Amino acid sequence: MLSLYVHIPFCRKRCSYCDFYLVAGTLRMEDFFEALRSETASRASLLKGETIGAIHFGGGTPSMASPSLLGSWLEQVASLGSFAPDIEIALEANPEDLTGGVAGELHSVGVNRLSLGVQSFSSEKLASLGRAHSPREAMAATRDAARMFDSVSLDLICGVPGENRDAWQGDLERAKASDAQHVSVYMLSLEPRTLLFRDVAAGRVRVPDDGDQAGFYMQALKELKASGYGHYEVSNFAMPGHHSRYNLASWKREPYIGYGPSAHSFFRTEEGELRTANEASLSRYLSAPQSAEGFREVLGERERFEEQVFLSLRINCGLAIEFLRKGNTLPNEMMKALGTMQERGWITLKNDVLYLTDDGFLFADLIAAELIP
Ligand code: SF4
């Protein structure tokens, strides 16, 4: 089963904390879709004979694209590969875009899952993040979407400037009351090339420290799990059957093809397992979409091992100890590291599978690094 990702690189303006590849405004949207159709046609062989299980429109702000443009690209893809009967077609949307019947049009071209960039239900938090929607729009968009789409997810951010436990609790309560079947919780991370990073570095803005961030994360875990959301990945929580199929497939190292500037792909050929990435440049993409690729790597044994460890630990399927064995035994250093992690309460072992505990999820990357010789 194959998944597809499309990076739609347009936003109204850049949010203060965001370092994704994008350009402000939608002037080149039609040109972008023309280029997207060319790129898709030029890579048609990757879809031939494949069943597509999930398509994810990310960005950027895909909800700024017209449903008819999205629909015509979906028709092109359907003519090149075949859609699984229960295909997930997900689109990332900003709440302020879902007005005037847009949600219905998205649904009519085949989108069946919306991932809403809510981030918060507090006007102070939204202002500090530079977001364009109001708390009222966020709640209305989530509830309307839940009536129309099979699955609705919302993103929340914790650890913004001035955040405290009560403000964060307010966001969690509203998320639980919103009818969304899926919640993604992100701890604000300061990315070097952002406005927020510069403000924090210059002392103009203060953000909660790592200890507070850890507290917010544990608060989210407790609240969402108590309300029936299963914790299936470090940052993701879902009611039964509502996990993101596209994301889960990529974490399980299943193949996916990415289209658009900066999009990544992972697939297997006779050469081996390949990771590729398109160049992060809209202008170059528009002028030569058939040769958008800017990076290509055939994964060796070590890269495959590292990826498997990093990705397996992030999801609730865990990592089989068998995978860490050299011959029939675990290397001494690894036994020692596992023992220390167990003492700290970061991991549990069940039937020879290693799982992270709630505390362990806070240290997922550190734990993975310990297990990689
Ligand atoms: S809307 Fe999303 S992708 Fe666009 S700038 Fe803001 S955070 Fe980044």
Side-chain angles (χ1 to χ4, degrees), residues 263-306:
H264 289 237
S265 303
F266 170 68
F267 51 95
R268 297 175 175 90
T269 68
E270 284 169 2
E271 276 182 86
E273 291 188 345
L274 285 177
R275 288 211 178 264
T276 69
N278 284 354
E279 268 192 275
S281 164
L282 179 62
S283 56
R284 283 201 288 279
Y285 186 70
L286 296 182
S287 60
Q290 301 90 340
S291 48
E293 189 178 297
F295 169 84
R296 170 170 285 236
E297 179 186 25
V298 181
L299 300 183
E301 194 182 334
R302 181 171 176 86
E303 286 85 15
R304 292 201 301 273
F305 175 82
E306 287 180 5

Side-chain angles (χ1 to χ4, degrees), residues 11 13-15 17-18 20 22 59-61 94 131:
C11 287
K13 65 182 183 62
R14 184 175 287 280
C15 300
Y17 57 94
C18 177
F20 290 165
L22 57 93
T61 308
N94 280 348
R131 303 293 301 204

Side-chain angles (χ1 to χ4, degrees), residues 1-4 46-55 74 76-87:
M1 195 81 84
L2 183 67
S3 300
L4 308 183
L46 292 174
L47 305 185
K48 196 167 172 219
E50 294 287 347
T51 302
I52 300 162
I55 297 177
L74 287 170
Q76 181 189 13
V77 171
S79 73
L80 298 171
S82 56
F83 285 5
D86 61 345
I87 185 171

